[in-house]
Amino acid sequence: AQTVTQSQPEMSVQEAETVTLSCTYDTSENNYYLFWYKQPPSRQMILVIRQEAYKQQNATENRFSVNFQKAAKSFSLKISDSQLGDTAMYFCAFMKHYGGATNKLIFGTGTLLAVQP
Amino acid sequence: DAGVIQSPRHEVTEMGQEVTLRCKPISGHDYLFWYRQTMMRGLELLIYFNNNVPIDDSGMPEDRFSAKMPNASFSTLKIQPSEPRDSAVYFCASSLRKNSNQPQHFGDGTRLSIL
């Protein structure tokens, strides 16, 4: 069975600074996807970034980037130039890949990020 | 395009009552998921459907919970009878199989409080 671990329940960062959120996972699969979702106080679940396991290049979306280490089963999220609107709960998630079939997401327990002015 | 629509946004009811949560997935999506979020257990998948057929309901906590998807544009999650420990935020999400890495799109959730 797959598991996702986020070891940082809470983090704080000053506005405009950079912060890295950690995520590790356990799987015997070779093909899979990894995601970071953001949940602000409004409680929406918003996709931040995704990574395909077969791609060696780390995914980047504007101020958000990941450090994907497949051998170490690590998938950290870096937020650059932090903004007050980045304050939210961040969830790391894993999804198996079966030749094109959608499968269920397995979520970590989340990291609550507070951006301080 | 409209996203996943859930109703109601908040529900407060007394224990023992029947509760029905509703979800309208994104048009054209063929997968629908129901999640429960609590402080203690985080986000848990309860059940998911493919083309209106339940595929995996192993996350449904007990027989008091049931879910249906009578057509491609509507699903319900029902709790009968409800108990205080069912209090949580319930999310519905949908996705499209054609793009295997298409992320799930979430609704805004229903905050359920059982008194």
Side-chain angles (χ1 to χ4, degrees):
Chain A
Q2 288 75 30
T3 59
V4 177
T5 302
Q6 293 179 251
S7 58
Q8 304 153 315
E10 296 183 22
M11 293 193 72
S12 181
V13 64
Q14 292 296 124
E15 198 174 5
E17 297 294 309
T18 295
V19 65
T20 298
L21 309 183
S22 300
C23 174
T24 58
Y25 58 95
D26 187 25
T27 184
S28 59
E29 304 289 330
N30 190 47
N31 292 324
Y32 49 87
Y33 301 99
L34 296 163
F35 305 90
W36 279 97
Y37 277 87
K38 167 185 176 181
Q39 187 179 38
S42 65
R43 150 180 121 213
Q44 291 175 297
M45 290 288 287
I46 303 165
L47 179 69
V48 175
I49 198 166
R50 65 168 163 249
Q51 175 81 42
E52 292 89 344
Y54 62 86
K55 290 186 177 180
Q56 293 187 343
Q57 185 174 7
N58 289 324
T60 299
E61 290 286 343
N62 301 314
R63 297 183 295 107
F64 298 87
S65 61
V66 299
N67 182 5
F68 174 49
Q69 301 290 328
K70 190 172 184 179
K73 297 180 182 175
S74 170
F75 183 61
S76 61
L77 174 69
K78 185 172 81 170
I79 306 174
S80 304
D81 185 24
S82 297
Q83 301 176 0
L84 296 177
D86 295 334
T87 293
M89 181 74 85
Y90 287 81
F91 293 95
C92 179
F94 172 98
M95 184 174 80
K96 289 190 286 187
H97 173 57
Y98 282 133
T102 296
N103 211 309
K104 55 188 181 183
L105 283 167
I106 299 170
F107 286 92
T109 52
T111 296
L112 181 60
L113 176 66
V115 180
Q116 307 293 341
Chain B
D1 289 340
V4 176
I5 299 173
Q6 290 187 247
S7 64
R9 186 155 172 81
H10 305 277
E11 175 85 15
V12 181
T13 191
E14 294 185 348
M15 66 177 292
Q17 298 297 308
E18 179 178 289
V19 174
T20 299
L21 310 182
R22 298 173 176 79
C23 175
K24 177 179 170 58
I26 293 173
S27 178
H29 280 192
D30 53 356
Y31 277 80
L32 184 139
F33 305 80
W34 281 101
Y35 291 89
R36 179 172 66 176
Q37 184 179 32
T38 61
M39 289 293 293
M40 292 298 294
R41 302 173 67 90
L43 271 159
E44 303 174 279
L45 177 67
L46 300 177
I47 185 171
Y48 76 93
F49 296 82
N50 176 221
N51 292 324
N52 314 337
V53 177
I55 302 301
D56 183 352
D57 65 354
S58 60
M60 296 287 263
E62 48 197 277
D63 292 345
R64 297 184 298 106
F65 286 70
S66 62
K68 294 182 180 180
M69 192 165 185
N71 57 63
S73 59
F74 184 66
S75 177
T76 59
L77 178 67
K78 187 173 293 187
I79 309 172
Q80 166 64 21
S82 58
E83 297 182 3
R85 59 192 169 120
D86 302 330
S87 297
V89 178
Y90 290 82
F91 286 99
C92 176
S94 70
S95 67
L96 181 64
R97 173 177 177 164
K98 185 176 181 180
N99 297 323
S100 61
N101 64 340
Q102 187 75 16
Q104 295 174 18
H105 299 263
F106 284 76
D108 289 344
T110 295
R111 181 176 295 279
L112 177 64
S113 298
I114 308 297
L115 306 178

Coordinates of all heavy atoms in Angstrom, one line a residue, chain A residues 30-101:
Chain A
N30 N 6.5 1.9 -10.2 CA 7.5 2.7 -11.0 C 6.9 3.9 -11.7 O 7.6 4.9 -11.9 CB 8.2 1.8 -12.0 CG 9.4 2.4 -12.6 OD1 10.2 2.9 -11.9 ND2 9.5 2.3 -13.9
N31 N 5.6 3.7 -12.1 CA 4.9 4.8 -12.8 C 3.9 5.4 -11.9 O 3.0 4.6 -11.4 CB 4.3 4.3 -14.1 CG 5.4 4.0 -15.1 OD1 6.5 4.6 -15.1 ND2 5.2 3.0 -15.9
Y32 N 3.9 6.7 -11.6 CA 2.9 7.3 -10.8 C 3.0 8.8 -10.9 O 3.9 9.3 -11.7 CB 3.1 6.9 -9.3 CG 4.6 7.1 -8.8 CD1 5.0 8.3 -8.3 CD2 5.4 6.0 -8.8 CE1 6.3 8.4 -7.8 CE2 6.8 6.1 -8.4 CZ 7.2 7.4 -7.9 OH 8.5 7.5 -7.5
Y33 N 2.1 9.5 -10.3 CA 2.0 11.0 -10.3 C 2.1 11.5 -8.9 O 1.6 10.8 -8.0 CB 0.8 11.5 -11.0 CG 0.6 11.0 -12.4 CD1 -0.2 9.9 -12.7 CD2 1.3 11.6 -13.5 CE1 -0.3 9.4 -14.0 CE2 1.1 11.2 -14.8 CZ 0.4 10.1 -15.0 OH 0.2 9.6 -16.3
L34 N 2.6 12.6 -8.7 CA 2.7 13.3 -7.4 C 2.1 14.7 -7.6 O 2.3 15.4 -8.6 CB 4.1 13.4 -6.9 CG 4.7 12.0 -6.6 CD1 6.2 12.2 -6.5 CD2 4.2 11.5 -5.3
F35 N 1.4 15.2 -6.6 CA 0.7 16.5 -6.7 C 0.9 17.2 -5.3 O 1.1 16.6 -4.3 CB -0.8 16.3 -6.9 CG -1.2 15.5 -8.0 CD1 -1.3 14.1 -7.9 CD2 -1.4 16.1 -9.3 CE1 -1.7 13.3 -9.0 CE2 -1.8 15.3 -10.4 CZ -1.9 13.9 -10.2
W36 N 0.9 18.5 -5.4 CA 0.7 19.4 -4.3 C -0.6 20.2 -4.5 O -0.8 20.8 -5.5 CB 1.9 20.4 -4.1 CG 3.1 19.8 -3.5 CD1 4.2 19.3 -4.1 CD2 3.3 19.7 -2.1 NE1 5.1 18.9 -3.2 CE2 4.6 19.1 -2.0 CE3 2.6 20.0 -1.0 CZ2 5.2 18.8 -0.7 CZ3 3.1 19.7 0.3 CH2 4.4 19.1 0.4
Y37 N -1.4 20.0 -3.4 CA -2.7 20.8 -3.4 C -2.6 21.8 -2.3 O -2.0 21.6 -1.2 CB -3.9 19.9 -3.1 CG -4.4 19.2 -4.3 CD1 -3.9 17.9 -4.7 CD2 -5.5 19.7 -5.0 CE1 -4.4 17.3 -5.9 CE2 -6.0 19.0 -6.1 CZ -5.5 17.8 -6.5 OH -6.0 17.2 -7.6
K38 N -3.3 22.9 -2.5 CA -3.3 24.0 -1.5 C -4.8 24.2 -1.1 O -5.7 24.1 -1.9 CB -2.9 25.3 -2.2 CG -3.1 26.6 -1.5 CD -2.7 27.8 -2.3 CE -3.1 29.1 -1.7 NZ -2.7 30.2 -2.5
Q39 N -5.0 24.3 0.3 CA -6.3 24.5 0.8 C -6.3 25.8 1.7 O -5.9 25.7 2.8 CB -6.8 23.3 1.6 CG -8.2 23.4 2.1 CD -8.7 22.2 2.9 OE1 -7.9 21.6 3.6 NE2 -9.9 21.8 2.6
P40 N -6.7 26.9 1.1 CA -6.7 28.1 1.9 C -7.9 28.1 2.9 O -8.7 27.1 2.9 CB -6.9 29.2 0.9 CG -7.6 28.5 -0.3 CD -7.1 27.1 -0.2
P41 N -8.0 29.1 3.7 CA -9.1 29.1 4.7 C -10.5 29.0 4.1 O -11.5 28.6 4.7 CB -8.9 30.5 5.4 CG -7.5 30.7 5.3 CD -7.1 30.2 4.0
S42 N -10.6 29.4 2.8 CA -11.9 29.2 2.1 C -12.3 27.7 1.9 O -13.4 27.4 1.5 CB -11.9 29.9 0.8 OG -10.9 29.3 -0.1
R43 N -11.3 26.9 2.2 CA -11.5 25.4 2.2 C -11.5 24.8 0.8 O -11.6 23.6 0.6 CB -12.7 25.1 3.1 CG -13.5 23.9 2.7 CD -14.7 23.8 3.7 NE -15.9 23.8 3.0 CZ -17.0 24.2 3.5 NH1 -17.0 24.8 4.7 NH2 -18.1 24.2 2.9
Q44 N -11.3 25.6 -0.3 CA -11.2 25.0 -1.6 C -9.9 24.2 -1.7 O -8.9 24.5 -1.0 CB -11.0 26.1 -2.6 CG -12.3 26.9 -2.9 CD -12.0 28.1 -3.8 OE1 -11.2 29.0 -3.5 NE2 -12.6 28.1 -5.0
M45 N -9.9 23.1 -2.5 CA -8.7 22.3 -2.8 C -8.2 22.8 -4.2 O -8.9 22.5 -5.2 CB -9.0 20.9 -2.7 CG -9.3 20.3 -1.4 SD -7.9 20.2 -0.3 CE -7.0 18.8 -1.1
I46 N -7.1 23.4 -4.2 CA -6.5 23.9 -5.4 C -5.2 23.2 -5.8 O -4.3 23.2 -5.0 CB -6.3 25.4 -5.2 CG1 -7.6 26.2 -4.8 CG2 -5.7 26.1 -6.5 CD1 -7.3 27.5 -4.2
L47 N -5.2 22.7 -7.0 CA -4.0 22.1 -7.5 C -2.9 23.1 -7.7 O -3.1 24.1 -8.4 CB -4.2 21.4 -8.8 CG -3.0 20.7 -9.4 CD1 -2.6 19.5 -8.5 CD2 -3.2 20.2 -10.8
V48 N -1.7 22.9 -7.1 CA -0.6 23.8 -7.2 C 0.4 23.4 -8.3 O 0.8 24.2 -9.1 CB 0.2 23.9 -5.8 CG1 1.4 24.8 -6.0 CG2 -0.8 24.5 -4.8
I49 N 0.7 22.1 -8.3 CA 1.7 21.6 -9.2 C 1.7 20.1 -9.2 O 1.2 19.5 -8.3 CB 3.1 22.1 -8.7 CG1 4.2 22.0 -9.9 CG2 3.6 21.4 -7.5 CD1 5.5 22.8 -9.5
R50 N 2.1 19.5 -10.3 CA 2.1 18.0 -10.5 C 3.4 17.6 -11.1 O 4.0 18.3 -11.9 CB 0.9 17.5 -11.2 CG 0.9 18.0 -12.7 CD -0.2 17.2 -13.5 NE -0.4 17.9 -14.7 CZ -1.6 18.5 -15.0 NH1 -2.6 18.4 -14.1 NH2 -1.8 19.1 -16.1
Q51 N 3.8 16.3 -10.8 CA 5.0 15.8 -11.4 C 4.7 14.3 -11.8 O 4.1 13.5 -11.1 CB 6.1 15.8 -10.3 CG 7.4 15.1 -10.6 CD 8.3 16.0 -11.4 OE1 8.5 17.1 -11.2 NE2 9.0 15.4 -12.4
E52 N 5.2 14.0 -13.0 CA 5.1 12.6 -13.5 C 6.4 11.9 -13.1 O 7.5 12.4 -13.3 CB 4.9 12.6 -15.0 CG 3.6 13.1 -15.5 CD 3.6 14.6 -15.8 OE1 4.5 15.3 -15.3 OE2 2.7 15.0 -16.5
A53 N 6.3 10.7 -12.6 CA 7.4 10.0 -12.0 C 8.5 9.7 -13.1 O 9.7 9.6 -12.8 CB 7.0 8.8 -11.3
Y54 N 8.0 9.6 -14.3 CA 8.9 9.2 -15.4 C 9.7 10.4 -15.9 O 10.7 10.2 -16.7 CB 8.2 8.5 -16.5 CG 7.2 9.3 -17.2 CD1 7.5 10.2 -18.3 CD2 5.8 9.3 -16.9 CE1 6.6 11.0 -18.9 CE2 4.9 10.1 -17.5 CZ 5.2 10.9 -18.5 OH 4.3 11.7 -19.1
K55 N 9.4 11.6 -15.5 CA 10.1 12.8 -15.9 C 11.2 13.1 -14.9 O 10.9 13.3 -13.7 CB 9.1 13.9 -16.1 CG 8.2 13.8 -17.3 CD 7.4 15.1 -17.5 CE 6.5 14.9 -18.7 NZ 5.7 16.2 -18.9
Q56 N 12.4 13.2 -15.3 CA 13.4 13.6 -14.4 C 13.5 15.1 -14.1 O 13.9 15.5 -13.0 CB 14.8 13.2 -15.0 CG 15.0 11.7 -15.1 CD 16.4 11.3 -15.5 OE1 17.1 12.1 -16.1 NE2 16.7 10.0 -15.3
Q57 N 13.0 15.9 -15.1 CA 13.0 17.3 -14.8 C 11.9 17.7 -13.8 O 10.8 17.3 -13.8 CB 12.7 18.0 -16.2 CG 12.8 19.5 -16.1 CD 12.6 20.2 -17.4 OE1 12.3 19.6 -18.4 NE2 12.8 21.5 -17.5
N58 N 12.3 18.5 -12.9 CA 11.4 19.0 -11.8 C 10.4 20.0 -12.4 O 10.7 20.9 -13.2 CB 12.2 19.7 -10.7 CG 13.0 18.7 -9.9 OD1 12.6 17.6 -9.7 ND2 14.2 19.1 -9.5
A59 N 9.2 19.8 -12.0 CA 8.1 20.7 -12.4 C 8.2 22.1 -11.8 O 8.7 22.2 -10.7 CB 6.7 20.0 -12.1
T60 N 7.8 23.1 -12.6 CA 7.8 24.4 -12.1 C 6.5 25.1 -12.6 O 6.1 24.9 -13.7 CB 9.0 25.2 -12.7 OG1 10.2 24.6 -12.2 CG2 9.0 26.6 -12.2
E61 N 5.9 25.9 -11.7 CA 4.7 26.7 -12.0 C 4.9 28.1 -11.3 O 4.6 28.3 -10.1 CB 3.5 26.1 -11.5 CG 3.0 24.8 -12.2 CD 2.4 25.1 -13.6 OE1 2.1 26.2 -13.9 OE2 2.4 24.1 -14.4
N62 N 5.4 29.0 -12.1 CA 5.7 30.4 -11.6 C 6.5 30.3 -10.3 O 7.7 29.9 -10.4 CB 4.3 31.1 -11.3 CG 3.5 31.1 -12.6 OD1 4.0 31.5 -13.6 ND2 2.2 30.8 -12.5
R63 N 6.0 30.7 -9.2 CA 6.8 30.8 -7.9 C 6.9 29.4 -7.2 O 7.6 29.3 -6.2 CB 6.2 31.8 -7.0 CG 6.1 33.2 -7.5 CD 5.6 34.2 -6.4 NE 4.2 33.9 -6.1 CZ 3.8 33.3 -5.0 NH1 4.6 33.0 -4.1 NH2 2.5 33.1 -4.8
F64 N 6.3 28.4 -7.8 CA 6.2 27.1 -7.1 C 7.1 26.1 -8.0 O 7.0 26.1 -9.2 CB 4.8 26.6 -7.1 CG 3.9 27.4 -6.2 CD1 3.2 28.5 -6.8 CD2 3.7 27.2 -4.9 CE1 2.4 29.3 -6.0 CE2 2.8 28.0 -4.1 CZ 2.2 29.0 -4.7
S65 N 7.9 25.4 -7.3 CA 8.7 24.4 -7.9 C 8.9 23.2 -7.0 O 8.7 23.3 -5.8 CB 10.1 24.9 -8.3 OG 10.8 25.4 -7.2
V66 N 9.2 22.1 -7.6 CA 9.4 20.9 -6.8 C 10.8 20.4 -6.9 O 11.5 20.6 -7.9 CB 8.4 19.8 -7.1 CG1 7.0 20.2 -6.9 CG2 8.6 19.3 -8.5
N67 N 11.2 19.6 -5.9 CA 12.5 18.9 -5.9 C 12.1 17.4 -5.8 O 11.8 16.9 -4.7 CB 13.4 19.3 -4.8 CG 14.7 18.5 -4.9 OD1 15.0 17.8 -5.8 ND2 15.6 18.8 -3.9
F68 N 12.1 16.7 -7.0 CA 11.6 15.3 -7.0 C 12.9 14.4 -7.0 O 13.7 14.5 -8.0 CB 10.8 15.1 -8.3 CG 10.4 13.7 -8.5 CD1 9.9 12.9 -7.5 CD2 10.6 13.1 -9.8 CE1 9.5 11.6 -7.8 CE2 10.2 11.8 -10.1 CZ 9.7 11.1 -9.1
Q69 N 13.0 13.6 -6.0 CA 14.1 12.7 -5.9 C 13.4 11.3 -5.9 O 13.0 10.8 -4.8 CB 14.9 12.9 -4.6 CG 15.5 14.3 -4.5 CD 16.6 14.5 -5.5 OE1 17.3 13.6 -5.8 NE2 16.7 15.7 -6.0
K70 N 13.4 10.7 -7.0 CA 12.7 9.4 -7.2 C 13.3 8.3 -6.3 O 12.6 7.5 -5.7 CB 12.6 8.9 -8.6 CG 11.6 7.8 -8.9 CD 11.5 7.5 -10.3 CE 10.4 6.4 -10.5 NZ 10.2 6.1 -12.0
A71 N 14.6 8.2 -6.3 CA 15.3 7.1 -5.6 C 15.0 7.3 -4.1 O 14.8 6.3 -3.4 CB 16.8 7.1 -5.9
A72 N 15.0 8.5 -3.6 CA 14.8 8.8 -2.2 C 13.3 8.8 -1.9 O 12.9 9.0 -0.7 CB 15.5 10.1 -1.8
K73 N 12.4 8.8 -2.9 CA 11.0 8.9 -2.7 C 10.7 10.2 -1.9 O 10.0 10.2 -0.9 CB 10.4 7.7 -2.0 CG 10.6 6.4 -2.9 CD 10.1 5.2 -2.3 CE 10.4 4.0 -3.2 NZ 10.0 2.7 -2.6
S74 N 11.2 11.3 -2.5 CA 11.0 12.6 -1.8 C 10.4 13.5 -2.9 O 10.8 13.5 -4.0 CB 12.3 13.1 -1.3 OG 12.2 14.4 -0.9
F75 N 9.5 14.4 -2.4 CA 8.9 15.3 -3.3 C 8.6 16.6 -2.6 O 7.5 16.8 -2.1 CB 7.6 14.7 -3.8 CG 6.8 15.5 -4.8 CD1 7.3 15.8 -6.0 CD2 5.5 15.9 -4.5 CE1 6.6 16.5 -7.0 CE2 4.7 16.6 -5.5 CZ 5.3 16.9 -6.7
S76 N 9.5 17.5 -2.5 CA 9.4 18.7 -1.7 C 8.9 19.9 -2.6 O 9.1 19.9 -3.8 CB 10.7 19.1 -1.0 OG 11.7 19.3 -2.0
L77 N 8.2 20.8 -2.0 CA 7.6 22.0 -2.7 C 8.4 23.2 -2.2 O 8.5 23.5 -1.0 CB 6.2 22.1 -2.4 CG 5.5 23.4 -2.9 CD1 5.4 23.3 -4.4 CD2 4.1 23.5 -2.3
K78 N 8.9 24.0 -3.1 CA 9.5 25.2 -2.8 C 8.7 26.4 -3.3 O 8.3 26.4 -4.5 CB 10.9 25.3 -3.5 CG 11.7 26.6 -3.0 CD 13.1 26.6 -3.5 CE 13.3 27.0 -5.0 NZ 14.7 27.2 -5.4
I79 N 8.4 27.3 -2.4 CA 7.6 28.5 -2.7 C 8.6 29.7 -2.6 O 9.1 30.0 -1.5 CB 6.5 28.7 -1.8 CG1 5.6 27.4 -1.7 CG2 5.6 29.9 -2.2 CD1 4.4 27.5 -0.7
S80 N 8.8 30.3 -3.7 CA 9.7 31.5 -3.7 C 8.9 32.8 -3.6 O 7.7 32.8 -4.0 CB 10.5 31.5 -5.1 OG 11.2 30.3 -5.2
D81 N 9.5 33.8 -3.1 CA 8.9 35.1 -3.0 C 7.5 35.0 -2.4 O 6.4 35.3 -2.9 CB 8.8 35.8 -4.4 CG 8.2 37.2 -4.3 OD1 8.3 37.8 -3.3 OD2 7.6 37.6 -5.3
S82 N 7.4 34.4 -1.2 CA 6.2 34.1 -0.5 C 5.3 35.3 -0.4 O 5.7 36.4 -0.1 CB 6.4 33.5 0.9 OG 7.2 32.3 0.8
Q83 N 4.0 35.1 -0.6 CA 3.0 36.1 -0.5 C 2.0 35.8 0.5 O 1.8 34.6 0.8 CB 2.3 36.3 -1.9 CG 3.3 36.7 -3.0 CD 2.7 36.8 -4.4 OE1 1.5 36.5 -4.5 NE2 3.5 37.1 -5.4
L84 N 1.3 36.8 1.0 CA 0.3 36.5 2.1 C -0.8 35.6 1.6 O -1.3 34.8 2.4 CB -0.3 37.9 2.5 CG 0.6 38.9 3.2 CD1 -0.1 40.2 3.5 CD2 1.3 38.3 4.4
G85 N -1.1 35.6 0.4 CA -2.1 34.7 -0.2 C -1.7 33.2 -0.3 O -2.5 32.4 -0.6
D86 N -0.4 33.0 0.0 CA 0.1 31.6 0.1 C -0.3 30.9 1.4 O -0.1 29.7 1.5 CB 1.6 31.6 -0.2 CG 2.0 32.1 -1.5 OD1 1.2 32.0 -2.5 OD2 3.2 32.5 -1.7
T87 N -0.7 31.7 2.3 CA -1.1 31.1 3.6 C -2.2 30.1 3.4 O -3.3 30.4 2.9 CB -1.6 32.2 4.6 OG1 -0.5 33.0 4.9 CG2 -2.2 31.6 5.9
A88 N -2.0 28.9 3.8 CA -2.9 27.8 3.5 C -2.4 26.5 4.1 O -1.2 26.4 4.5 CB -3.1 27.6 2.0
M89 N -3.2 25.4 4.0 CA -2.8 24.1 4.3 C -2.3 23.5 3.0 O -3.0 23.6 1.9 CB -3.9 23.2 4.9 CG -3.5 21.8 5.2 SD -2.5 21.7 6.7 CE -3.8 21.7 7.9
Y90 N -1.2 22.9 2.9 CA -0.6 22.3 1.7 C -0.6 20.7 1.9 O 0.0 20.2 2.8 CB 0.8 22.8 1.4 CG 0.7 24.2 0.9 CD1 0.6 25.3 1.8 CD2 0.8 24.5 -0.5 CE1 0.6 26.6 1.3 CE2 0.7 25.8 -0.9 CZ 0.6 26.8 0.0 OH 0.6 28.1 -0.5
F91 N -1.2 20.1 0.9 CA -1.2 18.6 0.9 C -0.4 18.0 -0.2 O -0.6 18.4 -1.4 CB -2.7 18.1 0.8 CG -3.6 18.4 1.9 CD1 -4.4 19.5 1.9 CD2 -3.6 17.6 3.0 CE1 -5.2 19.8 3.0 CE2 -4.4 17.9 4.1 CZ -5.2 19.0 4.1
C92 N 0.4 17.1 0.1 CA 1.1 16.3 -0.9 C 0.2 15.0 -1.2 O -0.4 14.5 -0.3 CB 2.4 15.8 -0.3 SG 3.5 14.8 -1.4
A93 N 0.2 14.6 -2.5 CA -0.7 13.5 -2.9 C 0.0 12.6 -3.9 O 0.7 13.1 -4.7 CB -2.0 14.0 -3.4
F94 N -0.4 11.4 -3.9 CA 0.2 10.3 -4.7 C -0.9 9.7 -5.5 O -2.0 9.4 -5.0 CB 0.9 9.3 -3.9 CG 1.4 8.1 -4.6 CD1 2.7 8.0 -5.0 CD2 0.5 7.0 -4.8 CE1 3.1 6.8 -5.7 CE2 0.9 5.9 -5.5 CZ 2.2 5.8 -5.9
M95 N -0.6 9.3 -6.8 CA -1.6 8.6 -7.6 C -0.9 7.6 -8.4 O 0.0 8.0 -9.2 CB -2.4 9.6 -8.4 CG -3.6 8.9 -9.2 SD -4.6 10.1 -10.1 CE -3.6 10.4 -11.5
K96 N -1.3 6.4 -8.4 CA -0.8 5.3 -9.3 C -1.2 5.6 -10.7 O -2.2 6.2 -11.0 CB -1.2 4.0 -8.8 CG -0.7 3.5 -7.5 CD -1.0 2.0 -7.3 CE -2.4 1.8 -6.9 NZ -2.7 0.4 -6.5
H97 N -0.4 5.1 -11.6 CA -0.7 5.2 -13.0 C -0.8 3.8 -13.6 O 0.2 3.1 -13.6 CB 0.5 6.0 -13.7 CG 0.3 6.0 -15.2 ND1 -0.8 6.5 -15.8 CD2 1.2 5.7 -16.2 CE1 -0.6 6.5 -17.1 NE2 0.6 5.9 -17.4
Y98 N -2.0 3.5 -14.1 CA -2.2 2.2 -14.8 C -2.6 2.4 -16.2 O -3.7 2.4 -16.6 CB -3.4 1.5 -14.1 CG -3.0 0.9 -12.7 CD1 -3.8 1.1 -11.6 CD2 -1.9 0.1 -12.6 CE1 -3.5 0.5 -10.4 CE2 -1.6 -0.5 -11.4 CZ -2.3 -0.3 -10.3 OH -2.0 -0.9 -9.2
G99 N -1.6 2.7 -17.0 CA -1.8 2.7 -18.5 C -3.0 3.6 -18.9 O -3.7 3.3 -19.8
G100 N -3.1 4.7 -18.2 CA -4.2 5.7 -18.6 C -5.4 5.7 -17.8 O -6.3 6.5 -17.9
A101 N -5.4 4.8 -16.8 CA -6.6 4.8 -15.9 C -6.4 5.7 -14.7 O -5.4 5.7 -14.1 CB -6.8 3.3 -15.4

